């Protein structure tokens, strides 16, 4: 099992950056789950308050993710004989290869977490990567982990909503997102914003959770499965 860095363990133990009272944790969890009840009212609430929803979730789980999952908060299929860490690295290297990243390119990681993929891809491709994240605690962790990895001069973080990024048009040579844009209130709007800051003729690559064409939004059983999947992802990450 992957474990986080020693400094991260100390943060988890001391509560640095995210200490909460038990009652506050319970109310935050209940409010987060309320965004995913599957009915029309919860959908409207989720869309109206997506930034609050995402921040509440990641304030609660970041230390546990890092402790049990490592610094890369995403899934990866494992090949026979491959370790967990090897599968994560291969998955990240693959997206770098698909984008054709080359030394010196200016790259954007949309929804970067604490920057695990950012650091691995930067080392692999010798590129400069900026991570966009709207969660202050995760950015503080990412800055510290970049410093430890010796990447603080070539990679950085910007606290921003990826629906309204503070970058000029045509700014990046390549952009990627790994299991992040599912949190967007408006997926089309999110991808339009990504397209705006990507240089013409360059590529955007993403790994994302998707529903198949068999999903029927009017089928209550399908809606229930969708909600349960979200909850199972949370439980698996916490295990």
């Amino acid at each position: 099992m992957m474990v986080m860095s020693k400094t991260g363990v100390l943060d988890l133990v001391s509560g640095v950056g995210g200490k909460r009272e038990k009652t506050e944790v319970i109310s935050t969890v209940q409010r987060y789950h309320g965004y995913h009840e599957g009915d029309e009212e919860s959908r409207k609430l989720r869309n109206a308050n997506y930034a609050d929803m995402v921040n509440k979730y990641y304030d609660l789980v970041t230390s546990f993710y890092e402790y049990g999952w490592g610094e890369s908060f995403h899934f990866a299929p494992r090949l026979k004989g491959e370790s967990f860490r090897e599968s994560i690295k291969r998955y990240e290297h693959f997206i770098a290869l698909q984008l054709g990243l080359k030394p010196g390119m200016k790259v954007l990681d949309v929804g970067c977490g604490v920057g695990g993929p950012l650091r691995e891809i930067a080392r692999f491709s010798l590129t400069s990567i900026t991570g966009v994240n709207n969660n202050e605690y995760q950015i503080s962790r990412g800055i510290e982990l970049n410093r430890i990895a010796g990447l603080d001069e070539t990679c950085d973080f910007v606290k921003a909503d990826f629906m309204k990024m503070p970058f000029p048009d045509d700014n990046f040579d390549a952009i990627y997102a790994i299991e992040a844009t599912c949190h967007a209130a408006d997926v089309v709007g999110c991808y339009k914003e990504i397209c705006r800051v990507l240089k013409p003729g360059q590529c955007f690559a993403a790994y994302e959770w998707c529903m198949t064409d068999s999903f029927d939004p009017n089928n209550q059983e399908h809606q229930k499965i969708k909600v349960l999947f979200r909850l199972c992802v949370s439980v698996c990450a916490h295990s």
Side-chain angles (χ1 to χ4, degrees):
M1 179 180 71
M2 286 296 298
V3 295
M4 63 181 169
S5 59
K6 186 176 180 180
T7 54
V9 174
L10 292 175
D11 284 352
L12 180 64
V13 172
S14 65
V16 173
K19 187 172 182 181
R20 290 171 176 266
E21 297 298 324
K22 183 177 180 180
T23 54
E24 186 181 1
V25 170
I26 292 171
S27 66
T28 300
V29 169
Q30 289 174 339
R31 183 167 182 182
Y32 176 79
H33 283 175
Y35 287 128
H36 297 289
E37 293 297 332
D39 55 20
E40 181 64 18
E41 190 60 34
S42 66
R43 186 189 68 79
K44 290 179 180 177
L45 185 66
R46 182 169 67 248
N47 288 349
N49 299 280
Y50 69 92
D52 175 69
M53 175 192 75
V54 173
N55 271 301
K56 277 184 165 45
Y57 179 78
Y58 284 110
D59 280 350
L60 288 169
V61 306
T62 293
S63 291
F64 292 101
Y65 272 20
E66 211 177 326
Y67 179 72
W69 206 349
E71 296 170 14
S72 295
F73 303 162
H74 64 81
F75 298 101
R78 287 175 68 178
L79 303 178
K80 186 175 181 179
E82 188 175 51
S83 71
F84 170 75
R85 180 56 188 155
E86 286 168 345
S87 71
I88 292 290
K89 288 178 69 173
R90 175 176 50 78
Y91 212 51
E92 293 166 355
H93 293 178
F94 180 76
I95 205 167
L97 291 170
Q98 291 298 106
L99 283 169
L101 299 187
K102 294 178 176 60
M105 289 178 72
K106 186 177 178 182
V107 182
L108 179 67
D109 181 332
V110 177
C112 62
V114 297
L118 177 154
R119 284 181 291 278
E120 185 59 43
I121 292 172
R123 283 189 292 253
F124 178 70
S125 62
L126 301 178
T127 52
S128 297
I129 305 181
T130 296
V132 168
N133 191 329
N134 208 24
N135 184 270
E136 192 162 342
Y137 175 55
Q138 288 196 340
I139 286 181
S140 69
R141 286 291 302 141
I143 290 171
E144 173 63 9
L145 292 169
N146 275 9
R147 185 190 64 77
I148 292 169
L151 293 170
D152 48 322
E153 293 188 6
T154 57
C155 297
D156 62 354
F157 297 91
V158 172
K159 185 181 186 302
D161 182 347
F162 56 48
M163 301 292 292
K164 297 171 287 187
M165 293 187 284
F167 306 117
D169 295 354
D170 310 333
N171 194 55
F172 293 96
D173 299 308
I175 301 177
Y176 67 87
I178 302 179
E179 296 177 19
T181 58
C182 58
H183 295 298
D186 173 10
V187 175
V188 173
C190 175
Y191 290 148
K192 282 184 177 179
E193 182 68 354
I194 288 169
C195 186
R196 180 185 69 78
V197 300
L198 180 64
K199 291 179 180 178
Q202 301 306 305
C203 295
F204 165 65
Y207 292 133
E208 197 50 271
W209 305 337
C210 298
M211 304 302 290
T212 71
D213 292 339
S214 299
F215 176 71
D216 179 2
N218 298 315
N219 185 313
Q220 290 303 307
E221 187 64 23
H222 288 191
Q223 287 285 3
K224 188 184 298 183
I225 291 169
K226 180 180 177 182
V227 171
L228 284 173
F229 173 74
R230 286 181 178 272
L231 296 179
C232 284
V233 167
S234 299
V235 170
C236 287
H238 299 174
S239 303

